[in-house]
């Protein structure tokens, strides 16, 4: 049940498969600088993958969950520190250790919600073994974890969710379109295409009549049911917004 609660919380925060955001990239840059490593990640651990909301020094956007060091870091509140992955029985045969990016050193701090559910981690990686973190480095990684969760909570609170359906709203849609446009290149455009589909669940007059005759509670229930039915029909990893 706890695993299901964790995955449900991850979905509620509307972070997976979203464009890069400066607030998170600033944290990973700071993590790489403070801990003097080439790779820093904000990793969200999904059912079968880890997906990187922000990444410095790593070209891939996601990796399979069974290869994820971060999945191990979710299991306790303590930092997970692996001084040399090749000497650790848990990771010695991991493809991320035996091949690119050749992980030797890993340190990760869980990203926990107020009710204790771990969404993922902020972690730092080096291709050289290192000694255990100093007390100051441990403190810095915990502070970066707290900063990341503060941004995640703030992101949810700044008006990006529709108050009735809790889906991403018009402002989130416009912000995501801006981010996708800013991050795309000519090469990207040739390889992939983003498509937006607009669904009218009711004409304005119909919705107004529904509200007048049956009341706002019934109208809200109609919106929630529409959102649930549409979401159930969508392919995995399709984003659904409530824009009007």
């Amino acid at each position: 049940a706890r695993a299901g609660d964790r995955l449900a919380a991850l979905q509620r925060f509307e972070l997976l498969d979203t464009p890069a955001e400066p607030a998170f990239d600033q944290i990973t840059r700071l993590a790489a600088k403070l801990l003097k490593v080439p790779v820093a990640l904000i990793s969200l651990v999904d059912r079968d993958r880890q997906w990187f909301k922000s990444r410095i020094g790593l070209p891939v956007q996601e990796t399979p969950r069974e290869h994820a060091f971060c999945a191990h870091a979710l299991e306790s509140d303590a930092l997970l520190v692996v001084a040399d992955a090749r000497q650790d029985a848990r990771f010695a045969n991991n493809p991320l250790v035996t091949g690119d990016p050749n992980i030797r050193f890993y340190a990760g701090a869980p990203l926990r919600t107020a009710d204790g559910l771990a969404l993922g981690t902020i972690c730092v990686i080096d291709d050289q073994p290192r000694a255990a973190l100093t007390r100051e480095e441990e403190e810095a990684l915990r502070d970066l974890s707290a900063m990341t969760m503060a941004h995640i909570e703030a992101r949810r609170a700044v008006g990006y969710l529709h108050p009735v359906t809790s889906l991403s709203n018009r402002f989130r849609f416009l912000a995501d379109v801006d981010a996708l446009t800013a991050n795309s290149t000519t090469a990207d455009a040739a390889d992939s295409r983003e498509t937006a589909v607009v669904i009218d669940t009711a004409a304005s007059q119909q919705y107004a009549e529904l509200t007048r005759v049956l009341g706002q509670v019934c109208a809200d229930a109609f919106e929630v049911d529409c959102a649930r039915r549409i979401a159930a029909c969508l392919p995995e990893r399709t984003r659904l917004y409530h824009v009007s």
Side-chain angles (χ1 to χ4, degrees):
R2 194 68 172 172
D5 291 343
R6 191 191 72 77
L7 290 170
L10 185 57
Q11 294 297 326
R12 284 197 303 273
F13 277 97
E14 299 263 331
L15 288 161
L16 290 170
D17 302 303
T18 57
E21 297 176 49
F24 295 103
D25 291 342
Q26 288 166 3
I27 293 175
T28 47
R29 283 197 298 270
L30 183 59
K33 183 176 181 179
L34 287 175
L35 286 101
K36 300 179 177 63
V37 293
V39 178
L41 309 167
I42 294 174
S43 170
L44 304 172
V45 181
D46 201 359
R47 187 182 308 277
D48 58 359
R49 59 175 175 152
Q50 63 171 346
W51 183 84
F52 306 123
K53 176 60 183 172
S54 179
R55 64 193 196 279
I56 299 295
L58 190 70
V60 297
Q61 185 73 68
E62 62 181 67
T63 64
R65 178 176 171 138
E66 62 263 28
H67 301 161
F69 283 56
C70 295
H72 293 265
L74 304 184
E75 296 172 4
S76 77
D77 288 328
L79 302 182
L80 174 65
V81 180
V82 180
D84 187 348
R86 291 185 189 173
Q87 306 303 318
D88 190 310
R90 296 170 296 176
F91 305 111
N93 295 319
N94 189 309
L96 302 179
V97 175
T98 59
D100 196 50
N102 301 296
I103 296 173
R104 296 292 296 277
F105 172 80
Y106 170 94
L111 302 173
R112 292 196 180 277
T113 63
D115 51 356
L117 298 172
L119 305 180
T121 71
I122 179 167
C123 65
V124 292
I125 292 170
D126 202 340
D127 59 4
Q128 301 297 319
R130 291 179 49 164
L133 297 179
T134 66
R135 181 177 298 179
E136 290 77 13
E137 288 172 330
E138 288 186 359
E139 187 175 283
L141 193 54
R142 289 194 178 94
D143 286 346
L144 290 163
S145 172
M147 289 169 59
T148 304
M149 278 310 305
H151 277 298
I152 289 173
E153 296 284 0
R155 183 182 183 276
R156 190 179 186 190
V158 295
Y160 279 153
L161 295 183
H162 193 280
V164 174
T165 59
S166 294
L167 293 174
S168 294
N169 64 12
R170 176 187 294 269
F171 299 111
R172 180 78 261 167
F173 172 72
L174 295 174
D176 285 352
V177 168
D178 284 345
L180 285 168
T181 303
N183 293 332
S184 66
T185 65
T186 304
D188 293 332
D191 292 337
S192 63
R193 179 175 297 176
E194 300 288 344
T195 302
V197 177
V198 180
I199 301 172
D200 249 344
T201 56
S204 298
Q205 187 55 43
Q206 289 176 308
Y207 185 77
E209 189 69 7
L210 172 66
T211 306
R212 185 184 68 80
V213 174
L214 297 178
Q216 190 62 53
V217 171
C218 185
D220 289 350
F222 167 77
E223 291 188 69
V224 171
D225 190 54
C226 286
R228 180 185 60 80
R229 293 187 184 204
I230 293 168
C233 295
L234 293 175
E236 187 178 0
R237 302 183 190 178
T238 303
R239 292 189 55 73
L240 180 60
Y241 301 83
H242 188 164
V243 298
S244 178

